Amino acid sequence: MLPGGIPVPALPPGVQQDILQRILDASGAGQVGAQPPGFPASLPQIASPTRPAVMPQPAPQLVESLSHTEVFYAARLEAPLRQFGYDTFREMPMTGAPPALGVLPDSYVLGRDDEVMVAIRGRTRQTVTLRVNRDGTLLLPDLLPFPAAGRSLGEVRADIMARVAQELGGSEAYVSIGQVRQIGVFVAGEVARPGMQALPALASALDALAMAGGVKKTGSLRAIRIEGPNGRRVVDLYSVIAGEAGAPDLMLREGERLVVPPLGATVAVAGEVTRPGIYELPAGATRAPLASLLRLAGEPLRPAGNRFLLQGTDAEGRRSFSEINTAAQLRRGDAVVVQPGADVAAGQVRLSGHVTAPVLRAPRGGGLRAMLHDPRLVRPDPYIRLGVIWRVDGRSRVRRFIGFDLGRVLRGEVDMPLDESDEIVLLSQADVLWLASPPVQRALRGELTPAIAVPVAAGAMPVQAAPGAECAALQALAVAARSSPARFAHARGAGFPDLGAPPCPQAFIDYPQLLPWLLDQSVLLSGEARMPGLYPILDDTGLDKVLAAAGGVTDTADLSAVELSREPMEQAGAIPLSRTLLDLRSRNYAAIRLSPRDAIRLPRGFGDRDSGPVTLMGEFLRPGIYDIRRGERFSELIARAGGLSPQAYPYGAVFTRESVRQRQQDGFARTARELEQSLIQVAAGQAVSGSRASGMDLGGAITAGRELAGALRDARAAGRMVVEANPVILAARPELDVLLEPGDLIAIPKRPNEVTVVGAVLNPGSLQFTTGWRVAEYVRASGGAQRFADGSRAFIVLPNGQSVPSGLGSWQASGPPVPPGSLVVVPQDPSPYETWGFIRDLTQVLGQISISAAALAVIGKQAR
């Protein structure tokens, strides 16, 4: 409950907030949220963006709260106001007599107990300090007493100087005041500490009020009475603290009394003025013109265009609102709110986008050309083919985009008048290249940008942004593309690669509607341009301008068959698309005039050079990376590399190709899937036949099969092809000479001198090559086959990558000869697991992995 019995919760929320903050500021509690003792617990704590709520803290006793008058006006206005002038006494000392400072004027009237200092120089030298006696006289040595009380300092000084010159010839007197006397002034009325106040004789009415604790807000500042033996006068302090006209007599004399009467009529001035507050009308006045109150409030902040809203009271005590002017008379309790007539911006033009700094300027007489008179306003690398003016219609207030040729404006060739509230948006090259980015292409298909994680503080949970929230322009484009699929057909068919996700440029964050408009104004440039993309243009723009923005054409472009696609200007029921082949070998690009939504395709010319290199490693005379032409064969590349070295082993050549590697990798994945399907079939069959009763470890076998399938998926295919690398044989049999492809890798190793035996043998490893030995000799040299070895399925991986049977079976012959560098594989006999059909297929799987591993090992050795 505030003074006057007004409950705080009944006031507007903004008033409650300000009341609480003022109380806390006065008590030293700081921010909103700390309730001082004695404050009602029902007062809601209101948080605001500038005053965050804090934890309650103990606060000292309240010093000041809103007065009854302030609460009265706070209930009428949005924010409470303070009574003007009462803060004057807050910083003035309230204890002890204020010192008398400065030089005393000659008009100062002496009185009892004043000290007079007299210095005599000349024939007689002496300095005396005299005090005015109770009878009002001064006693000078060697002189007769003379009256001083009630006389001015100037009169006493002249009298003393004359007496000294007359009585003490040859001497001069210098007179000054030492300690001045104190007077007693009774202060009564609406002050904090009424009573008798001891003050220096030079004290003013302000000193007396400060000694009395200042004027309370229930007291008047404009009708203070000073009564004494010399009569009665009224002092208006507004002439002292507010600069009002008048020169009040503030000096106090012995025996005078100062009375502060109750507060008179008040008027509140709020809104856009220099000093909002509650002001008291002159003493005895019941009305005052608005102009005088505005002068007290420091005048409106605006020099013109102000509206004055009056909240008055009608005959029945109801609030009444009316518009008034400065000549209107205000009554007691009126409140005036100063507001702008129309707080809107007028006569301004904004320059933003790819500029050194966004600026607000008045539209010059020269229009756009004068606005961009200094080219240094534009940052480097602008998109000069198209600038944008975002203009608002003066009547409907609907905005629309207008394009202009920035390059011609900067060169001073064209100009465009500017209207009020125009926004000039300049684009950069990066902004235009973003039109062909994957996020824009996805939005053209009607897809929103995937949600991205918003950075948060350490320790907090990451928050997912809503789809498209990081760039509202993409969302607007996706909606437009879905609502009208044919609108962006020229941009949707560009076929740009979906690589990366560049961030949304600032221009499209500030102007989301700009993105669909630019795409409508764009031409598609694809093919052999240095920077293919979508380029916004004006109608009737030359192809040379677009190619300049795209960096020109590449050296591989076929200018004899440039394709121009164009939609008809008049949109009838059907929209046919016309295509024209242009011969631009004369490079007269300026003759081709383009319109928005056109598409230019620059095809690539045919050339013998292929699109990638071939790598030669190992025993070539000049190994390295070679570019190839279309249809070049292996023997030709060997000749370019100088042939093979004497240590070369062409039978062990490793030839890898990326397309073959991909097919082999797909085969590994397919085999792994088939292996897993076999596992499922075995598990189902054994479950039906009851394999657990026979004691067979079905679970372990299935686990092993799954691990093998996983290893097969993780195995890296080499992409090896079996080719003939001997130049002599290639010369004799041209049909074996393979055609080269970009990305091929050929490694020719040195002639090896070992044969490797792996699998189900007692001592797997590499053995020295012996001429004439077959697989059986190498197996015996490795300790012989193990107990469960399956010799009938053993095979040889020849140095060229081929696989042949080894001839170890009882029904097989002795097998082929084993050349150096071969790999002999003796698999495990699957007969103990014949009931599991998938086990019999593992030999083929292991063989494929072994071939890939062997080829990769050879490549790695040659690379080192």
Side-chain angles (χ1 to χ4, degrees):
M1 196 71 71
L2 293 179
I6 298 179
V8 173
L11 300 177
V15 177
Q16 299 180 31
Q17 172 74 24
D18 195 83
I19 292 173
L20 180 57
Q21 187 61 40
R22 288 179 184 273
I23 293 174
L24 296 177
D25 290 343
S27 62
Q31 297 295 325
V32 174
Q35 273 192 341
F39 203 80
S42 60
L43 178 62
Q45 298 185 10
I46 305 169
S48 68
T50 58
R51 295 174 178 172
V54 299
M55 295 301 293
Q57 299 177 356
Q61 191 65 28
L62 294 180
V63 176
E64 182 183 8
S65 61
L66 294 182
S67 67
H68 183 70
T69 302
E70 292 171 344
V71 172
F72 171 77
Y73 286 106
R76 296 183 167 216
L77 302 173
E78 294 181 357
L81 301 176
R82 308 298 285 182
Q83 289 180 250
F84 173 75
Y86 294 89
D87 293 340
T88 304
F89 306 98
R90 179 174 297 174
E91 302 299 332
M92 297 181 66
M94 294 185 295
T95 58
L101 304 176
V103 179
L104 292 180
D106 288 343
S107 60
Y108 174 70
V109 179
L110 296 177
R112 189 181 61 184
D113 294 333
D114 279 338
E115 284 187 353
V116 180
M117 301 177 64
V118 181
I120 301 175
R121 297 294 182 267
R123 191 177 63 180
T124 301
R125 296 180 62 85
Q126 57 179 330
T127 300
V128 295
T129 300
L130 307 175
R131 185 180 294 274
V132 179
N133 297 327
R134 290 182 178 274
D135 58 358
T137 61
L138 286 176
L139 296 178
L140 285 172
D142 301 332
L143 295 176
L144 296 174
F146 61 92
R151 302 175 64 188
S152 67
L153 175 59
E155 293 176 355
V156 174
R157 179 182 289 115
D159 195 359
I160 293 176
M161 292 173 64
R163 287 174 179 258
V164 169
Q166 181 180 358
E167 300 294 336
L168 303 175
S171 299
E172 294 181 350
Y174 301 93
V175 180
S176 62
I177 299 296
Q179 182 178 358
V180 297
R181 70 186 186 279
Q182 285 196 341
I183 61 176
V185 176
F186 183 75
V187 181
E190 298 299 317
V191 293
R193 293 191 302 272
M196 184 64 70
Q197 306 294 334
L199 301 168
L202 293 174
S204 66
L206 294 177
D207 299 322
L209 292 174
M211 291 293 294
V215 180
K216 296 192 296 185
K217 291 187 177 180
T218 55
S220 172
L221 296 180
R222 310 201 66 172
I224 298 175
R225 301 194 306 272
I226 301 178
E227 303 171 348
N230 297 331
R232 173 181 174 180
R233 63 185 186 274
V234 177
V235 174
D236 185 356
L237 291 186
Y238 271 29
S239 60
V240 179
I241 60 179
E244 283 290 275
D249 182 7
L250 299 179
M251 297 302 298
L252 296 177
R253 299 169 182 82
E254 186 74 34
E256 288 187 331
R257 181 179 61 178
L258 190 149
V259 180
V260 179
L263 180 65
T266 58
V267 172
V269 180
E272 297 185 359
V273 292
T274 304
R275 190 169 54 196
I278 302 171
Y279 297 92
E280 185 180 0
L281 300 182
T286 58
R287 297 173 179 268
L290 175 59
S292 63
L293 272 301
L294 292 177
R295 186 173 62 252
L296 285 176
E299 301 295 344
L301 297 177
R302 287 179 174 80
N306 296 292
R307 297 172 59 244
F308 306 103
L309 178 63
L310 172 64
Q311 286 195 46
T313 306
D314 61 10
E316 298 181 5
R318 296 172 300 188
R319 299 181 189 178
S320 61
F321 295 84
S322 60
E323 293 273 352
I324 60 174
N325 55 30
T326 55
Q329 296 288 324
L330 302 184
R331 300 183 304 167
R332 174 194 294 268
D334 286 347
V336 177
V337 180
V338 181
Q339 298 174 341
D343 190 11
V344 295
Q348 70 173 15
V349 173
R350 177 179 174 84
L351 180 63
S352 63
H354 194 65
V355 294
T356 54
V359 292
L360 285 175
R361 292 189 176 181
R364 301 190 178 186
L368 185 61
R369 182 175 173 182
M371 187 72 179
L372 298 172
H373 67 286
D374 189 351
R376 287 169 294 187
L377 290 172
V378 184
R379 295 173 59 188
D381 297 326
Y383 182 67
I384 61 175
R385 293 279 64 84
L386 186 71
V388 180
I389 298 177
W390 201 24
R391 177 166 294 174
V392 58
D393 185 80
R395 294 182 178 273
S396 64
R397 308 305 295 171
V398 176
R399 283 193 177 273
R400 61 190 177 95
F401 291 107
I402 302 175
F404 64 91
D405 193 319
L406 177 61
R408 299 185 64 189
V409 171
L410 293 179
R411 292 192 299 269
E413 299 176 0
V414 297
D415 197 5
M416 181 181 294
L418 296 177
D419 292 347
E420 180 182 89
S421 302
D422 279 353
E423 295 191 31
I424 305 170
V425 184
L426 304 186
L427 302 173
S428 67
Q429 286 282 358
D431 296 338
V432 173
L433 292 178
W434 188 74
L435 299 180
S437 65
V440 176
Q441 295 300 311
R442 287 192 291 268
L444 287 173
R445 296 192 297 267
E447 304 172 5
L448 291 180
T449 303
I452 59 172
V454 179
V456 295
M461 294 296 293
V463 180
Q464 290 291 329
E470 70 278 8
C471 187
L474 293 177
Q475 186 172 4
L477 178 60
V479 172
R482 285 198 176 186
S483 61
S484 178
R487 176 180 174 184
F488 304 107
H490 68 293
R492 190 181 296 109
F496 298 115
D498 192 0
L499 300 175
C504 185
Q506 188 63 40
F508 299 111
I509 296 177
D510 297 336
Y511 305 95
Q513 302 89 343
L514 180 60
L515 179 58
W517 185 83
L518 286 178
L519 291 174
D520 284 332
Q521 295 294 123
S522 298
V523 296
L524 172 62
L525 186 63
S526 61
E528 295 301 308
R530 298 191 185 277
M531 291 186 294
L534 292 161
Y535 292 91
I537 62 168
L538 297 176
D539 195 14
D540 196 32
T541 299
L543 177 59
D544 57 330
K545 305 294 185 182
V546 179
L547 290 178
V553 297
T554 64
D555 297 336
T556 59
D558 183 5
L559 298 180
S560 63
V562 177
E563 185 178 281
L564 169 62
S565 301
R566 172 168 293 175
E567 296 178 3
M569 298 300 296
E570 297 181 359
Q571 301 294 340
I575 306 178
L577 182 66
S578 63
R579 288 191 176 94
T580 306
L581 286 181
L582 307 174
D583 188 350
L584 299 179
R585 283 176 291 184
S586 64
R587 298 184 180 271
N588 186 16
Y589 303 127
I592 307 302
R593 313 307 293 181
L594 300 179
S595 300
R597 304 177 64 84
D598 285 350
I600 297 291
R601 183 180 180 274
L602 300 169
R604 180 181 179 182
F606 180 82
D608 284 344
R609 176 175 294 182
D610 221 327
S611 59
V614 172
T615 303
L616 300 183
M617 303 171 59
E619 297 303 311
F620 293 94
L621 291 183
R622 291 191 295 269
I625 300 176
Y626 290 82
D627 60 337
I628 61 173
R629 69 176 187 274
R630 296 176 184 270
E632 189 167 354
R633 295 186 176 274
F634 187 19
S635 60
E636 297 174 312
L637 186 58
I638 293 176
R640 291 173 59 191
L644 304 180
S645 69
Q647 294 80 23
Y649 186 49
Y651 188 58
V654 177
F655 189 104
T656 65
R657 178 167 288 176
E658 179 60 27
S659 58
V660 176
R661 188 200 68 80
Q662 187 61 47
R663 287 194 294 271
Q664 290 178 353
Q665 200 74 48
D666 295 341
F668 285 177
R670 182 173 59 254
T671 304
R673 290 195 300 269
E674 293 173 354
L675 184 59
E676 290 176 342
Q677 292 175 359
S678 299
L679 288 172
I680 296 175
Q681 294 173 1
V682 168
Q686 294 299 329
V688 173
S689 61
S691 62
R692 294 186 181 276
S694 60
M696 304 178 72
D697 187 9
L698 177 62
I702 292 178
T703 302
R706 287 178 176 173
E707 292 178 355
L708 181 59
L712 189 59
R713 280 196 178 92
D714 296 337
R716 179 187 174 191
R720 184 175 183 179
M721 290 175 53
V722 178
V723 298
E724 180 59 58
N726 193 330
V728 178
I729 300 177
L730 291 178
R733 301 183 62 184
E735 71 275 7
L736 300 179
D737 200 357
V738 66
L739 287 173
L740 298 177
E741 292 183 3
D744 287 349
L745 186 148
I746 303 103
I748 303 295
K750 292 182 180 180
R751 181 177 179 85
N753 196 28
E754 77 279 347
V755 173
T756 303
V757 182
V758 297
V761 295
L762 295 179
N763 186 21
S766 297
L767 302 173
Q768 185 176 2
F769 170 74
T770 303
T771 304
W773 275 25
R774 307 284 179 165
V775 173
E777 283 83 358
Y778 286 106
V779 172
R780 284 195 297 269
S782 298
Q786 294 180 356
R787 178 182 178 183
F788 296 106
D790 188 0
S792 62
R793 289 189 175 91
F795 61 93
I796 307 171
V797 180
L798 299 177
N800 65 351
Q802 288 180 330
S803 298
V804 296
S806 65
L808 284 180
S810 58
W811 54 273
Q812 295 174 336
S814 58
V818 181
S822 298
L823 175 68
V824 178
V825 181
V826 181
Q828 188 81 18
D829 184 8
S831 58
Y833 312 100
E834 282 296 333
T835 53
W836 304 337
F838 74 95
I839 298 291
R840 296 191 299 269
D841 300 330
L842 298 185
T843 302
Q844 179 185 1
V845 174
L846 294 175
Q848 293 175 355
I849 297 177
S850 300
I851 293 173
S852 298
L856 293 173
V858 173
I859 295 173
K861 183 184 298 184
Q862 296 302 324
R864 291 194 295 272

